[in-house]
Amino acid sequence: MSQSSPAPATAAVDVVDIALDARSYPILIGQGESLWQQAEVHFPKGTSAVIVTNTTVAPLYLQALRQRLERHYPKVLEVALPDGEQHKNWQTLNLIFDALLGNGADRKAVLYALGGGVIGDMTGFAAACYMRGVPFVQVPTTLLAQVDSSVGGKTAINHPLGKNMIGAFYQPRLVVCDIDTLRTLPTEQLSAGLAEVIKYGPIYDMEFFAWLEANVERLVAQDADALRHAIRRSCEIKAAVVSADETEAGLREILNFGHTFGHAIEAGMGYGAWLHGHAVAAGMVLATRLSQKLGHLPDADFLARLVPLLQKAGLPIEAPRLDPARNAERYLELMRVDKKTQGGAIRFVLIAPPGQAHTEKVADAVAAQLLDECIA
Amino acid sequence: MSQSSPAPATAAVDVVDIALDARSYPILIGQGESLWQQAEVHFPKGTSAVIVTNTTVAPLYLQALRQRLERHYPKVLEVALPDGEQHKNWQTLNLIFDALLGNGADRKAVLYALGGGVIGDMTGFAAACYMRGVPFVQVPTTLLAQVDSSVGGKTAINHPLGKNMIGAFYQPRLVVCDIDTLRTLPTEQLSAGLAEVIKYGPIYDMEFFAWLEANVERLVAQDADALRHAIRRSCEIKAAVVSADETEAGLREILNFGHTFGHAIEAGMGYGAWLHGHAVAAGMVLATRLSQKLGHLPDADFLARLVPLLQKAGLPIEAPRLDPARNAERYLELMRVDKKTQGGAIRFVLIAPPGQAHTEKVADAVAAQLLDECIA
């Protein structure tokens, strides 16, 4: 299917079921009428629907979603937040609460998150907290949100001292991944999403990694079938990991491969300066090198495959210097607020072998040495 | 046991077990060494303990708790918030997050709520949100908090447009009700707690109501045995109701007897002007009269018992006028934001007969008429 041809009404829709007992929900992946007809069956009942979106996405997709929701809910409200990671804070979250309370939205209101990961995280957290919990639906419009933030129930806002520090585990009732929405996505945002897709190879499935190596050009060119496969497989892997560990007690931490370094890059450069996916890409290179340094990867083969794949996906492979004089110290400082830290020791997700990941405490001196070696 | 004698180390400790599968926890009720020795067994493991209290309670009980926790945790931090319902908002909540992040508290930190209902609600909500959830322990120092807010896992902050609008259902790991802390409680605060104790009669247990009629003077005089019984029975009843309905889908709403009117009084008079328990007392009289008006209480016997019991407990029985001209309309406006409201219709907890409660939609005109009849 070419990028410009509209999807036929009978186009394939993939379904990934997230099994979490009473909080189970389906992820639908597809495009056009066939996707949305299937989605409507799963819309939660309610007295009103509240679409939370941002000022970039609103002009593109708000009207279509509103029309669809008006057939199902007596009242449809909308809130358009300012766009960007730098707005993922309490002040912006409060705009959602103001709109809900100002419009008399009750406990039977259903929130719809229409946008990328920031909108999904904030809407999910607002739904978790509003009157101690109302249902919500994710309609992710970026590749990153479709493969990552729509699975696992992690919702949060940032605090000036750390990313995603204030949040909740809260599951959506439904996720609708409409591939058509990726057509308006800037190239660097598509790349950012591919970073999280690529991540699933080294931590879980090297067969998928090989498929990505063979198909990365199709993904970059937004081939719909390739995208649907990549999204489905990413969701399946994440679902398998999350189902085994809903509240991040252990296994789930492997999803943070590349993220310990990545979060430090994001915070150190100032939220919004580096895209999350770009920071994760550079972080995965560092985490792979750290795995090597600790003797987990006897030969350098995997790094020699990871780096060109990231490059073909349009992703950075080198981490930035965060401080002219004391760069490693600055990284360590920022990484110490990571949620995986226990008793002051930084814990990294490492791979051994590629396709299997684990979490490990690493001495500050070892991490500092690696940072000095890798960052010019 | 007289009010002034210190509790012997062997004094009785009552235990109420809250059964919620993986989130079950004990409530310990007693005083002195015997209480705290038993409590220590249940302290959750962690890398640090963070005591959240307020500037009124801190000088009284902070030091003793800190010393006890220092035996169990490598690090003990403290945060003293400003005292009062008017501070139960995001700005104050953020002081907890600032202290946690500023001191490098990780996911293995355990929060201790030392104070009344406001401290319990805010600490619980902070624990629910910090890094998406850390353990917390309730050490309620008011009667209201001991009988009510420490059971049920309701945590929240207020929004300018409504009380407890932003929050979470989040269970503590342990609740320690130290009756000795009630000795420093102002009389009107003890009365406010008795309002919630008395509530359990009409909604669930008229035998307990009869016991309260016989023992209200002992309770007001802070007889330790009487207090321990009243607290235990209140917790047991609340536990029975909450266990059956953790997330307030139905039955649990009966705990809101008197609260629909009560919340309107608190909001209408300005948070902090009326104590919550006082507003609930006046609200219970209105809710009983509404039950009568709707034909649920064929004779007036119960009102004739409720009013003198509230009076002996030092509680108000008359609701205030909220607006000189359009008083009923103002009440209705404020009650409509209640979380029980569905599709615009206000739902009240009514009794029929005393000892059994249910929730019922009531037409605005009927509620308005009642308000006009009852409020001078």
Side-chain angles (χ1 to χ4, degrees):
Chain A
M1 196 179 300
S2 84
Q3 193 192 324
S4 53
S5 68
T10 55
V13 176
D14 284 359
V15 182
V16 180
D17 282 305
I18 308 293
L20 291 165
D21 301 325
R23 282 157 293 109
S24 299
Y25 64 92
I27 301 174
L28 309 183
I29 309 155
Q31 54 194 147
E33 227 7 70
S34 58
L35 172 70
W36 283 98
Q37 276 172 13
Q38 203 163 325
E40 288 180 25
V41 176
H42 297 278
F43 285 175
K45 288 203 169 48
T47 51
S48 62
V50 183
I51 305 171
V52 181
T53 187
N54 66 38
T55 49
T56 308
V57 174
L60 299 168
Y61 305 114
L62 178 60
Q63 213 39 41
L65 181 59
R66 167 180 267 286
Q67 279 167 11
R68 217 164 269 278
L69 295 178
E70 278 169 351
R71 296 182 218 152
H72 289 262
Y73 299 94
K75 196 159 84 170
V76 179
L77 305 169
E78 55 193 57
V79 192
L81 307 178
D83 186 15
E85 179 82 29
Q86 69 276 27
H87 298 293
K88 190 174 153 181
N89 54 30
W90 173 259
Q91 285 72 27
T92 312
L93 187 74
N94 229 358
L95 297 176
I96 305 177
F97 296 135
D98 292 345
L100 290 168
L101 285 164
N103 284 285
D106 62 25
R107 201 175 256 182
K108 300 277 172 188
V110 181
L111 271 55
Y112 280 79
L114 175 68
V118 171
I119 287 293
D121 278 10
M122 295 221 296
T123 308
F125 188 43
C129 297
Y130 188 62
M131 297 193 175
R132 301 198 187 91
V134 296
F136 87 111
V137 172
Q138 295 265 24
V139 186
T141 60
T142 68
L143 182 59
L144 180 64
Q146 292 181 351
V147 299
D148 188 61
S149 28
S150 60
V151 192
K154 276 192 182 184
T155 71
I157 55 174
N158 298 330
H159 183 280
L161 296 177
K163 196 173 145 74
N164 292 329
M165 284 294 154
I166 317 296
F169 288 101
Y170 196 71
Q171 305 297 337
R173 298 292 182 89
L174 166 70
V175 178
V176 188
C177 297
D178 186 341
I179 290 173
D180 283 339
T181 61
L182 303 183
R183 296 183 189 185
T184 51
L185 198 63
T187 312
E188 74 271 17
Q189 295 271 4
L190 191 79
S191 294
L194 288 174
E196 296 279 0
V197 173
I198 292 167
K199 177 190 78 178
Y200 291 108
I203 66 165
Y204 200 89
D205 183 354
M206 285 302 288
E207 224 173 277
F208 181 49
F209 190 81
W211 182 90
L212 289 169
E213 288 177 301
N215 291 278
V216 62
E217 286 86 358
R218 286 174 70 205
L219 291 168
V220 171
Q222 300 216 18
D223 176 287
D225 287 336
L227 282 171
R228 207 174 64 243
H229 176 75
I231 295 165
R232 178 170 58 76
R233 188 65 199 129
S234 298
C235 289
E236 281 171 356
I237 295 173
K238 184 157 187 189
V241 173
V242 168
S243 297
D245 176 25
E246 190 181 348
T247 55
E248 204 162 30
L251 177 65
R252 185 170 174 163
E253 292 185 334
I254 68 169
L255 297 171
N256 258 317
F257 182 61
H259 284 59
T260 312
F261 291 112
H263 286 165
I265 295 171
E266 285 184 87
M269 300 297 285
Y271 290 128
W274 270 57
L275 288 177
H276 175 69
H278 290 197
V280 167
M284 285 195 286
V285 174
L286 286 174
T288 301
R289 290 196 161 160
L290 186 56
S291 303
Q292 275 179 346
K293 192 177 183 70
L294 291 165
H296 296 316
L297 303 173
D299 54 51
D301 280 7
F302 178 66
L303 192 65
R305 291 173 66 187
L306 178 65
V307 165
L309 179 58
L310 293 174
Q311 286 176 313
K312 281 181 201 163
L315 288 161
I317 53 164
E318 284 181 11
R321 181 164 275 276
L322 299 183
D323 189 288
R326 40 189 289 289
N327 184 55
E329 288 82 346
R330 182 71 184 130
Y331 265 91
L332 290 175
E333 252 170 45
L334 290 165
M335 292 193 292
R336 210 163 279 123
V337 295
D338 185 272
K339 288 189 285 296
K340 292 188 295 302
T341 294
Q342 281 177 10
I346 304 172
R347 293 163 69 237
F348 291 90
V349 179
L350 301 177
I351 49 174
Q356 279 179 36
H358 67 277
T359 309
E360 192 176 320
K361 282 187 191 176
V362 175
D364 283 2
V366 175
Q369 197 179 36
L370 178 96
L371 287 160
D372 287 340
E373 287 161 12
C374 295
I375 299 173
Chain B
M1 195 179 303
S2 85
Q3 194 191 323
S4 52
S5 67
T10 53
V13 176
D14 283 1
V15 182
V16 180
D17 281 306
I18 308 293
L20 291 164
D21 301 324
R23 284 158 291 108
S24 298
Y25 64 92
I27 302 173
L28 308 184
I29 308 155
Q31 53 194 146
E33 227 8 69
S34 59
L35 172 70
W36 282 99
Q37 275 172 12
Q38 203 163 324
E40 287 181 26
V41 177
H42 297 278
F43 285 175
K45 287 202 169 51
T47 52
S48 63
V50 183
I51 306 171
V52 181
T53 187
N54 67 38
T55 49
T56 308
V57 174
L60 298 169
Y61 305 113
L62 179 60
Q63 212 40 40
L65 181 60
R66 166 180 267 285
Q67 280 168 9
R68 217 165 268 279
L69 295 178
E70 278 170 353
R71 296 182 218 153
H72 288 263
Y73 300 94
K75 197 159 83 171
V76 179
L77 305 169
E78 54 193 57
V79 191
L81 307 177
D83 186 15
E85 179 82 28
Q86 69 274 29
H87 298 292
K88 191 174 153 181
N89 55 30
W90 173 259
Q91 285 71 28
T92 312
L93 187 74
N94 229 359
L95 297 177
I96 305 177
F97 296 136
D98 291 346
L100 290 168
L101 285 163
N103 285 285
D106 62 24
R107 199 175 257 181
K108 301 277 173 189
V110 181
L111 271 55
Y112 281 78
L114 174 69
V118 171
I119 286 294
D121 278 10
M122 295 221 295
T123 308
F125 188 43
C129 297
Y130 187 62
M131 297 194 176
R132 300 195 188 92
V134 295
F136 87 111
V137 172
Q138 294 266 24
V139 187
T141 60
T142 68
L143 181 61
L144 180 64
Q146 291 181 351
V147 300
D148 189 61
S149 27
S150 60
V151 193
K154 276 192 179 185
T155 71
I157 54 174
N158 298 329
H159 183 281
L161 295 177
K163 195 174 147 73
N164 292 329
M165 284 295 152
I166 317 297
F169 288 101
Y170 196 71
Q171 305 296 338
R173 298 293 182 89
L174 165 69
V175 179
V176 188
C177 297
D178 187 342
I179 290 172
D180 283 338
T181 61
L182 303 183
R183 296 184 189 184
T184 51
L185 198 63
T187 312
E188 74 271 17
Q189 295 271 3
L190 190 81
S191 295
L194 288 174
E196 295 281 0
V197 172
I198 292 168
K199 177 191 78 180
Y200 290 109
I203 66 164
Y204 200 86
D205 182 354
M206 285 302 287
E207 226 172 277
F208 181 49
F209 190 81
W211 182 90
L212 289 169
E213 288 177 302
N215 290 278
V216 63
E217 285 86 358
R218 286 174 70 203
L219 291 168
V220 171
Q222 299 218 20
D223 175 287
D225 287 336
L227 282 171
R228 208 173 66 243
H229 177 76
I231 295 165
R232 178 170 58 76
R233 188 65 199 131
S234 297
C235 289
E236 281 171 356
I237 295 173
K238 185 157 186 190
V241 173
V242 168
S243 296
D245 176 24
E246 190 180 349
T247 56
E248 204 163 30
L251 177 65
R252 184 170 174 163
E253 291 185 335
I254 66 167
L255 298 171
N256 258 316
F257 182 62
H259 284 59
T260 312
F261 291 112
H263 287 166
I265 294 171
E266 285 183 87
M269 300 298 286
Y271 290 128
W274 270 57
L275 288 178
H276 175 68
H278 291 198
V280 167
M284 284 195 286
V285 174
L286 286 174
T288 301
R289 291 200 160 155
L290 186 57
S291 303
Q292 274 179 346
K293 193 177 182 69
L294 292 164
H296 296 316
L297 303 174
D299 51 54
D301 281 4
F302 178 67
L303 193 65
R305 291 173 66 186
L306 178 64
V307 165
L309 179 58
L310 293 173
Q311 287 175 314
K312 283 182 201 163
L315 288 160
I317 53 165
E318 284 183 11
R321 181 164 276 274
L322 298 183
D323 189 287
R326 39 188 290 289
N327 183 55
E329 289 82 346
R330 182 71 183 131
Y331 265 91
L332 290 175
E333 253 170 44
L334 291 165
M335 292 194 291
R336 210 165 279 123
V337 294
D338 185 272
K339 288 188 285 298
K340 292 188 296 300
T341 295
Q342 282 177 9
I346 304 171
R347 293 164 69 239
F348 291 88
V349 179
L350 302 176
I351 48 174
Q356 278 178 38
H358 67 277
T359 310
E360 192 176 319
K361 282 186 192 176
V362 175
D364 283 2
V366 175
Q369 199 180 32
L370 178 95
L371 288 160
D372 288 338
E373 287 160 12
C374 296
I375 299 174

